[in-house]
Amino acid sequence: MMSQPKTKKETQDLFELYRQMLLIRRFEEASAKAYSMGKIGGFCHLYIGQEAVGVGAISALEEKDYIVSTYRDHGHALARGLEPKSLMAELFGKRTGIVAGNGGSMHFFDKKKNFMGGHGIVGGHISLAAGIAYASKYREDQAVTLCFFGEGAANIGSFHEGMNLAAIWKLPLVMICENNHYAMGTPEYRALSVKDVSVRAAAYDIARDHIEGDEVRKVRDHVKVAVERARRGEGPTLMEISTYRFRGHSMSDPAKYRTKEELDKYKQGDPLIKAEKDLIGSGWAQEEISKLDETIAKQIEEAVDFAEKSEEPPLGWLYKHVYAENM
């Protein structure tokens, strides 16, 4: 029996998820533009193409839950509800940034939102996530830790250390491998001994899951199962969510290691385009979607303006407030 088409009321949640994905897309596009103009320095890794993973996964969490991210952390931070103005200011290195301009692109952090940082060391944050989950279990606060990492990190020692301890102690930890199929410029088949990272869960006798990351509600529903399992005290889950980044590894990467045909193929499965089609097919008017885009465009424009007009940290500020006080 064929399922009935969804109505506008039944897809209200999809509209909200689409709003979050669109916010990330427009934020990243603005970041790319600012970087190319020399307004952002250092490393800058964009989340364009992977929005359904971060938004879907984080929407399965409660406010008390923790998130540990990678250096590609913009999308995760926005999905968690961090303010676009303070995030953009951080990219610009301003005092009004989320960590006062000290962290930059790779190190967003907000304790109030239990967003426990973006981390620049590949795989190094996985053991940290296990430690946060251990603290939750010790305190019996029923919080779950969600840890994102790339497939390249699945070969790092701390990945296996974190997995082993999480399994032994049945920690409330959900580990999500965002497999975008390239560890920097190295295709997965050259670096991974398995085609699906989640099968490595068998070595630690924990739950696993594998899905495509092109539909945001599918991601949410699968991650929710793992989160609820962890909250019940049934231990961690290792998930692989297959996705694709439409830009290079970072802003300095021209991505010449992949073909235009490959990129075009994946762009046809753009999660934003899929969500928009589902919304229109459920009764949402194109005008409503266009108005949302206009609202978000204005929000991002205001964030860039805020960042540009914010005060620069004074010379010596980083040394005085970070290094000197800890000597």
Side-chain angles (χ1 to χ4, degrees), residues 253-295:
D253 174 20
K256 293 182 178 180
Y257 42 80
R258 62 187 183 186
T259 65
K260 181 180 182 300
E261 291 73 22
E262 176 184 307
L263 180 58
D264 289 343
K265 172 189 172 184
Y266 277 99
K267 282 187 174 182
Q268 291 176 11
D270 187 333
L272 270 75
I273 293 176
K274 285 193 171 186
E276 182 177 342
K277 286 182 178 179
D278 286 345
L279 288 170
I280 292 175
S282 303
W284 292 84
Q286 183 64 58
E287 290 76 11
E288 292 177 288
I289 295 173
S290 297
K291 184 176 180 180
L292 174 64
D293 202 350
E294 292 173 4
T295 300

Side-chain angles (χ1 to χ4, degrees), residues 4-76:
Q4 294 297 316
K6 297 290 185 181
T7 65
K8 184 176 179 180
K9 183 177 181 180
E10 291 173 314
T11 52
Q12 185 67 50
D13 64 328
L14 178 59
F15 187 81
E16 169 56 23
L17 296 173
Y18 176 75
R19 183 196 65 79
Q20 294 179 42
M21 291 195 294
L22 192 59
L23 175 65
I24 294 169
R25 180 68 59 92
R26 298 295 178 251
F27 182 95
E28 295 293 60
E29 290 169 348
S31 299
K33 181 179 179 180
Y35 191 96
S36 66
M37 296 171 68
K39 296 179 180 180
I40 297 174
F43 291 105
C44 186
H45 305 82
L46 303 181
Y47 203 60
I48 296 176
Q50 301 183 210
E51 294 92 345
V53 181
V55 171
I58 292 171
S59 68
L61 299 179
E62 297 179 6
E63 289 185 5
K64 65 183 176 183
D65 295 330
Y66 295 90
I67 299 168
V68 183
S69 182
T70 67
Y71 47 76
R72 200 180 304 278
D73 59 351
H74 306 176
H76 300 151

Side-chain angles (χ1 to χ4, degrees), residues 229-271:
R229 179 189 297 120
R231 209 181 304 280
R232 291 194 301 267
E234 297 175 13
T237 298
L238 174 62
M239 300 183 66
E240 177 179 295
I241 304 180
S242 180
T243 185
Y244 199 83
R245 52 174 164 80
F246 295 165
R247 300 292 187 102
H249 170 72
S250 68
M251 281 298 296
S252 61
D253 174 20
K256 293 182 178 180
Y257 42 80
R258 62 187 183 186
T259 65
K260 181 180 182 300
E261 291 73 22
E262 176 184 307
L263 180 58
D264 289 343
K265 172 189 172 184
Y266 277 99
K267 282 187 174 182
Q268 291 176 11
D270 187 333

Side-chain angles (χ1 to χ4, degrees), residues 28-324:
E28 295 293 60
E29 290 169 348
S31 299
K33 181 179 179 180
Y35 191 96
S36 66
M37 296 171 68
K39 296 179 180 180
I40 297 174
F43 291 105
C44 186
H45 305 82
L46 303 181
Y47 203 60
I48 296 176
Q50 301 183 210
E51 294 92 345
V53 181
V55 171
I58 292 171
S59 68
L61 299 179
E62 297 179 6
E63 289 185 5
K64 65 183 176 183
D65 295 330
Y66 295 90
I67 299 168
V68 183
S69 182
T70 67
Y71 47 76
R72 200 180 304 278
D73 59 351
H74 306 176
H76 300 151
L78 288 166
R80 186 55 163 175
L82 274 65
E83 172 58 46
K85 286 184 178 180
S86 62
L87 297 183
M88 189 64 73
E90 186 62 37
L91 294 181
F92 277 59
K94 300 298 183 69
R95 289 189 70 174
T96 53
I98 192 69
V99 287
N102 292 319
S105 173
M106 298 190 290
H107 302 291
F108 291 166
F109 182 93
D110 189 347
K111 179 59 181 71
K112 292 180 180 178
K113 294 283 189 179
N114 283 346
F115 189 84
M116 309 307 287
H119 297 269
I121 304 302
V122 176
H125 64 297
I126 297 174
S127 294
L128 173 62
I132 295 171
Y134 179 84
S136 290
K137 184 171 183 176
Y138 183 83
R139 293 192 300 259
E140 298 182 345
D141 60 14
Q142 300 299 304
V144 173
T145 298
L146 189 63
C147 178
F148 294 95
F149 61 98
E151 76 280 3
N155 295 327
I156 303 298
S158 61
F159 165 81
H160 298 280
E161 293 170 359
M163 287 271 290
N164 186 57
L165 291 175
I168 290 172
W169 295 329
K170 288 190 177 298
L171 299 182
L173 176 65
V174 178
M175 300 176 62
I176 296 181
C177 174
E178 292 191 82
N179 188 348
N180 60 30
H181 309 295
Y182 288 96
M184 295 186 72
T186 304
E188 59 184 338
Y189 69 85
R190 290 184 178 274
L192 281 171
S193 61
V194 293
K195 293 183 179 180
D196 178 356
V197 170
S198 73
V199 302
R200 292 185 173 178
Y204 302 97
D205 193 27
I206 64 173
R208 61 175 284 259
D209 195 4
H210 172 95
I211 58 172
E212 296 295 320
D214 54 347
E215 295 183 15
V216 65
R217 289 192 295 181
K218 176 173 67 177
V219 173
R220 177 198 60 193
D221 294 345
H222 277 254
V223 173
K224 189 174 183 179
V225 171
V227 168
E228 290 176 348
R229 179 189 297 120
R231 209 181 304 280
R232 291 194 301 267
E234 297 175 13
T237 298
L238 174 62
M239 300 183 66
E240 177 179 295
I241 304 180
S242 180
T243 185
Y244 199 83
R245 52 174 164 80
F246 295 165
R247 300 292 187 102
H249 170 72
S250 68
M251 281 298 296
S252 61
D253 174 20
K256 293 182 178 180
Y257 42 80
R258 62 187 183 186
T259 65
K260 181 180 182 300
E261 291 73 22
E262 176 184 307
L263 180 58
D264 289 343
K265 172 189 172 184
Y266 277 99
K267 282 187 174 182
Q268 291 176 11
D270 187 333
L272 270 75
I273 293 176
K274 285 193 171 186
E276 182 177 342
K277 286 182 178 179
D278 286 345
L279 288 170
I280 292 175
S282 303
W284 292 84
Q286 183 64 58
E287 290 76 11
E288 292 177 288
I289 295 173
S290 297
K291 184 176 180 180
L292 174 64
D293 202 350
E294 292 173 4
T295 300
I296 288 176
K298 183 178 180 181
Q299 185 179 5
I300 297 302
E301 183 181 340
E302 291 173 351
V304 172
D305 184 62
F306 173 79
E308 289 181 327
K309 293 179 179 178
S310 291
E311 182 183 359
E312 297 273 358
L315 293 175
W317 188 92
L318 181 63
Y319 174 81
K320 178 181 177 181
H321 291 276
V322 178
Y323 296 113

